[in-house]
Amino acid sequence: MIRMRIKSNGVSADISIFRPEAARAEAHAILLPSSGEGDVRDQLVRMENALRCFLAMKEGAGLKVVMKRIFLSDPANQISAVKEICGNDGAALSVIGQSPLYGAVKAGMMVIFTSEVNLANRNGLVCVERGNYSDFWFTGGAIGGVDSYEATKLLFHNLTEGLKREGLTLERDCHRTWIYVRDIDNRYRGMVKARNEVFREEGLTDSNHFIASTGIEGANAVFDALVTMDAYSAGGLERTQTVYLKGETHLNRTSDYGVSFERGTAIIYGDRRHVFISGTASIDNKGQVVAPGNIVKQAQRMIENVNILLNEGAAKSEDIMHIIVYVRDIADSGKIKEIMEENYPHIPYIVVQASVCRPGWLVEMECMAITDKGSDEYAPY
């Protein structure tokens, strides 16, 4: 694993690079303006320039952007600048209203790169063709004029229809979702009800598996859209390549309290293993909030839970490619950054404002790790 930081024209880019010898490389980056200087357009331009700077370096040689997530302070007023400045490379583009908690910074960026791939936009999905497999990113999800239940049903319909046209299914091929709910304290139940129904209809149950997911507060540029959704699917996998992570010593089954998602998922390739950790908070194996009201103890339990899940997926914290941290109260952001620097000093991360799905949870994190613990019985990534 290579870790590097680029400082270019008022932007800091923290980057993780997984580049096995004679194999397809991957990189993840978190980019942030060093200060809140300039408007959102200026900040986006500077981050895009930093991206190009990295790709022109020897460490970025051969890499191609396949997915971007843009975190915005005011998406309704900033979306036009994002589309103009960040949407011209063919990559999947996710835009979400979650303010980066770095002073007057208006926008932050998470980027995933892969080498030796071709991009195609079809059936509402961005397809990343990579040899024996293909990735499919769904980042078009925001539907206005309906409640959170109907919006979620429609978004999953759009996703499943796009997958079916590619010969894929939600149950077999979708491995990660991100569901953002505006005013989650009041509208989370509608999303959960819809997701539960869709999963039953598509054959996802507690007796086989669900999908790794983050369900979190988030807005979008459509003023009356209550739910936004992104999803990641991978085509060409054998069923035995996917392992579902439970962490049952520390976490309960999500179905115990009526929701449907996996705590984490590992995908095994011939030359590596991808480990997706869902949004994880301070919870115990009875489903109870640990350390109510205490941001430090909640962060510590959150990290402990993540480490349990990583270990179950044959990974460790040193294998993490990037982290996204969601903080309910902006007053806690300074303490959370201290904790992140202490525990993950060299790993790209971003802290954004977003309420977690249960009011008692003050902080949540998600991450993705890559390790070289693959299996020779499968084709390489």
Side-chain angles (χ1 to χ4, degrees):
M1 186 79 70
I2 300 170
R3 310 282 189 186
M4 61 185 298
R5 172 172 290 177
I6 299 172
K7 292 193 174 182
S8 172
N9 192 27
V11 167
S12 177
D14 290 331
I15 305 168
S16 302
I17 307 169
F18 183 84
R19 191 184 285 275
E21 186 176 351
R24 186 170 280 110
E26 301 178 75
H28 293 201
I30 297 289
L31 296 93
L32 284 162
S34 303
S35 70
E37 182 180 351
D39 60 14
V40 70
R41 182 176 297 272
D42 177 69
Q43 294 181 21
L44 291 168
V45 166
R46 285 188 279 138
M47 286 190 285
E48 285 289 329
N49 288 340
L51 272 184
R52 287 190 283 272
C53 176
F54 167 62
L55 292 172
M57 300 171 66
K58 66 177 182 178
E59 291 87 351
L63 290 170
K64 180 181 290 188
V65 176
V66 297
M67 189 270 186
K68 295 178 187 173
R69 179 166 293 135
I70 313 296
F71 303 91
L72 296 174
S73 59
D74 182 8
N77 288 301
Q78 297 164 343
I79 187 63
S80 59
V82 171
K83 290 181 177 178
E84 176 188 341
I85 296 163
C86 305
N88 301 313
D89 51 15
L93 180 63
S94 167
V95 181
I96 191 67
Q98 292 175 330
S99 294
L101 295 180
Y102 299 85
V105 166
K106 295 178 180 294
M109 188 181 297
M110 185 273 288
V111 185
I112 297 177
F113 313 77
T114 309
S115 70
E116 302 176 52
V117 295
N118 295 311
L119 299 183
N121 195 323
R122 59 180 189 248
N123 296 316
L125 307 168
V126 173
C127 174
V128 184
E129 298 169 340
R130 51 178 176 89
N132 295 284
Y133 310 100
S134 293
D135 297 327
F136 296 87
W137 289 96
F138 174 82
T139 57
I143 298 171
V146 293
D147 62 19
S148 61
Y149 169 82
E150 288 295 338
T152 304
K153 292 279 280 194
L154 288 168
L155 290 168
F156 269 108
H157 171 79
N158 292 345
L159 170 60
T160 54
E161 286 302 305
L163 291 173
K164 287 175 184 176
R165 287 193 288 270
E166 294 289 341
L168 308 177
T169 70
L170 189 74
E171 184 273 325
R172 186 185 64 235
D173 302 298
C174 185
H175 302 286
R176 186 71 168 88
T177 63
W178 295 261
I179 306 176
Y180 305 99
V181 183
R182 195 188 296 261
D183 186 16
I184 195 169
D185 290 342
N186 294 304
R187 292 170 169 143
Y188 182 64
R189 289 189 178 184
M191 181 277 283
V192 167
K193 180 182 178 183
R195 180 174 60 182
N196 288 349
E197 290 180 6
V198 170
F199 281 7
R200 284 195 298 270
E201 293 164 3
E202 296 292 325
L204 294 108
T205 70
D206 190 43
S207 62
N208 56 17
H209 70 89
F210 296 124
I211 298 171
S213 185
T214 298
I216 200 80
E217 175 87 25
N220 55 72
V222 181
F223 77 95
D224 61 346
L226 303 182
V227 182
T228 308
M229 189 169 78
D230 296 336
Y232 166 78
S233 304
L237 298 174
E238 299 177 32
R239 285 192 178 271
T240 51
Q241 287 180 253
T242 305
V243 178
Y244 300 99
L245 312 178
K246 309 297 183 184
E248 290 181 338
T249 60
H250 281 58
L251 303 106
N252 68 325
R253 290 286 188 98
T254 61
S255 57
D256 291 350
Y257 49 95
V259 295
S260 305
F261 70 93
E262 294 292 346
R263 298 293 186 186
T265 299
I267 301 178
I268 306 167
Y269 295 98
D271 58 350
R272 72 198 67 188
R273 181 181 299 229
H274 286 178
V275 183
F276 300 90
I277 303 301
S278 299
T280 301
S282 177
I283 189 173
D284 64 18
N285 61 2
K286 301 293 190 298
Q288 300 300 308
V289 177
V290 177
N294 189 316
I295 188 66
V296 173
K297 289 184 178 179
Q298 284 204 17
Q300 291 169 343
R301 178 60 184 228
M302 170 186 75
I303 291 169
E304 183 178 347
N305 287 346
V306 167
N307 287 337
I308 289 293
L309 292 166
L310 286 170
N311 182 67
E312 190 175 328
K316 52 190 183 298
S317 61
E318 291 84 353
D319 300 315
I320 295 174
M321 297 292 284
H322 80 270
I323 300 170
I324 301 172
V325 186
Y326 306 98
V327 177
R328 186 179 185 90
D329 185 348
I330 60 174
D332 289 329
S333 61
K335 178 57 68 176
I336 287 299
K337 289 175 196 172
E338 291 177 9
I339 293 169
M340 295 301 293
E341 288 294 329
E342 179 182 347
N343 287 272
Y344 306 106
H346 306 297
I347 296 173
Y349 74 88
I350 185 171
V351 180
V352 298
Q353 184 177 14
S355 296
V356 187
C357 62
R358 196 185 300 184
W361 282 323
L362 307 178
V363 61
E364 179 174 295
M365 68 177 278
E366 64 172 73
C367 63
M368 179 181 171
I370 305 178
T371 172
D372 61 4
K373 293 181 174 61
S375 173
D376 291 341
E377 64 182 296
Y378 306 120
Y381 177 81

